[in-house]
Amino acid sequence: MKKIPIIIFLFTLLATIAIISSCQSTSPLAEAKSGAQLWGENCLRCHNAPSPESFSDAEWDVAVMHMRVRANLTEPEAVKIADFLKTAN
Amino acid sequence: MKNKYFILFLTLMFTFSIQKANAQEVQSTDEIQKLKQEIEQLKNESDTYKPGKSKFLLRGYAHSGLQITDEEFSFVGGSFNPLFIYKQSDRLLFESEWELELAGGEVKLAVEYANMSYLLSKNLTFRAGKILVPFGIYVPNLHPAWINKFPTGPLGAGHDGIIPSNDIGLELRGGSYLGNLKINYSIYAVNGSQLNDGEEEAEEAGILHHAIFPDNNKGKTIGGRLGFFPFSDSSLEFGISGMYGKVGAKETDMKDVAALHYALDISYVKTLSSMSSVLDMKGQYSGVNVDDANYPFHENPDDLITFDNNSSTWFAQISLRPALVENNFVRRLEFAGRYSTLKTPEGSEWETDQTQVDLGINYWIDWRTLFKVSYRISNSKEDGTTEEPDGHGGAPGNAFFVHWAIGF
């Protein structure tokens, strides 16, 4: 258990760096991705990619916000995915 | 004379035409007016259904099936998990998942989570309430029945497992980019697990119980998870999780006993064009170290025993779904396999060393509805039996399952 403070310190440090760096919500590579591409990549990480026809535009607003929090999506990613789902449904 | 009659005829025709044209014009004007009224009426009706900024969505999942073991051949009730999602504004979200489970002839109701999220920035969210603890990937991401590739969870997971599932507290979470490297992160403070001191149930001395309220001490458990995506297509994710806090009850001999939970997880999901399939691989190693303590011996509570209170569990699973083949039946199939282990402290009353292999074939009706057929082989090393004490996320014996699950 003597290792605990070191582990906690390292973890806290990494977490702090991550949060401080959170001002960057996108990258050149991410910016080049379409909503359809982000939809496929991010949904498939846990489950099948949902059919855009599953929900109405208003329902997608709520579902995408739910998944933005759940899957730790950035705002630009969530906006692109929502736009794609609304256009394709 | 003939000319006069002809001119009279033309005059009459002209007059008749003008009258008819006037009548048509009046009719057209009436029709336009009528159309305007209809459009206005439709507009008013559509305004009635126009969504405001506050929106509500009911989602969830349900599952049940058939379970065959050496001792049992039974349809099992499974559970129904409604998920209530309320978007108050573009920044504020409330969500809650309940679980109604049919067990032992009764309906058990549990709140899996109920929390409020406030989007602080483009990549940081604050959450408060009962949350799924962001520890590893199984509980936060894979436990819903329509996502889990198998009818049951891996060893060590679940409500009674050594992996913490949900708790009450505060959390900061989000996703971001370090250059082109995508990361996600979560830090939180929750009540934390509670140590069973064995005073009432000596055979459970040393076990950690999760999601019990209120807290048994004033110390809060601090934890977090960091995830990294080394590839630009987000197909590979590595995660590291940890949580630390006091677990002993205040004003007892165990008030200073603390526990460290830690986990490493990996996920790889890739569409393989060469195999016309989607490959999905996941794995997680989790451990918990509890400070040394003296517990009552179950045969004579006046005697005290101690043991290294360390437990560990891990699972690895793989699935292949030929989703890109042309045959409609084949592309709905999914082949899955999972290996999981659970090891609890030697010398404890709840000592176990189990392994479990699950092999299954799933048939997807649509993207969120499936039938699962699987066979589970369990093994317990210490006594050669397949029985496992209740309370640690294990499940007894070999078993055959036919389950269905729907997400909605």
Side-chain angles (χ1 to χ4, degrees), chain A residues 1 4 7-8 11 14-15 18-19 21-30 33 41-42 44-51 54-55 58-59 61-63 65-66 68-77, chain B residues 55 57 59 85 87 89-92 95 113 117 119 121-123 132 140-141 146-147 173-180 182 184-185 187 224-226 229 232-233 240 244 269 282 289 291 321 364 367-368:
Chain A
M1 299 298 274
I4 290 171
I7 293 168
I8 292 173
F11 194 88
L14 285 170
I19 290 172
S21 70
S22 68
C23 55
Q24 191 182 355
S25 60
T26 188
S27 72
L29 272 177
K33 291 182 181 177
E41 287 179 1
N42 286 284
L44 268 182
R45 278 162 43 201
C46 297
H47 55 72
N48 295 325
S51 165
S54 302
F55 298 110
E59 289 170 332
D61 272 341
V62 188
M65 190 174 183
H66 161 70
R68 176 180 167 184
V69 175
R70 190 73 173 264
N72 290 320
L73 302 175
T74 65
E75 183 184 77
E77 289 171 338
Chain B
K55 296 170 188 168
L57 185 61
R59 296 187 67 184
I85 314 172
K87 181 183 174 186
S89 69
D90 288 341
R91 285 186 178 272
L92 195 57
E95 54 187 357
Y113 58 87
S117 297
L119 308 183
S121 71
K122 290 180 179 180
N123 37 24
L132 289 177
N141 298 354
W146 71 277
I147 295 175
R173 63 188 288 130
S176 187
Y177 287 88
L178 293 170
N180 279 322
K182 186 178 177 183
N184 57 44
Y185 36 81
I187 55 171
R225 179 181 180 276
L226 273 174
F229 296 84
S232 62
D233 61 0
I240 176 172
Y244 178 78
V269 183
K282 301 244 177 345
N289 298 345
D291 287 343
R321 186 182 169 198
W364 289 90
W367 65 274
R368 51 188 170 171

Side-chain angles (χ1 to χ4, degrees), chain B residues 160-202:
Chain B
D160 299 322
I162 67 166
I163 302 175
S165 51
N166 47 32
D167 211 328
I168 293 181
L170 309 172
E171 181 193 11
L172 279 171
R173 63 188 288 130
S176 187
Y177 287 88
L178 293 170
N180 279 322
L181 176 69
K182 186 178 177 183
I183 59 169
N184 57 44
Y185 36 81
S186 166
I187 55 171
Y188 54 87
V190 294
N191 282 333
S193 308
Q194 298 189 15
L195 181 68
N196 190 322
D197 60 11
E199 291 295 328
E200 294 181 4
E201 301 159 311

Side-chain angles (χ1 to χ4, degrees), chain B residues 295-311:
Chain B
Y295 304 100
F297 182 49
H298 75 287
E299 290 180 359
N300 181 7
D302 291 333
D303 292 341
L304 296 178
I305 60 168
T306 188
F307 49 86
D308 288 333
N309 197 348
N310 302 327
S311 302

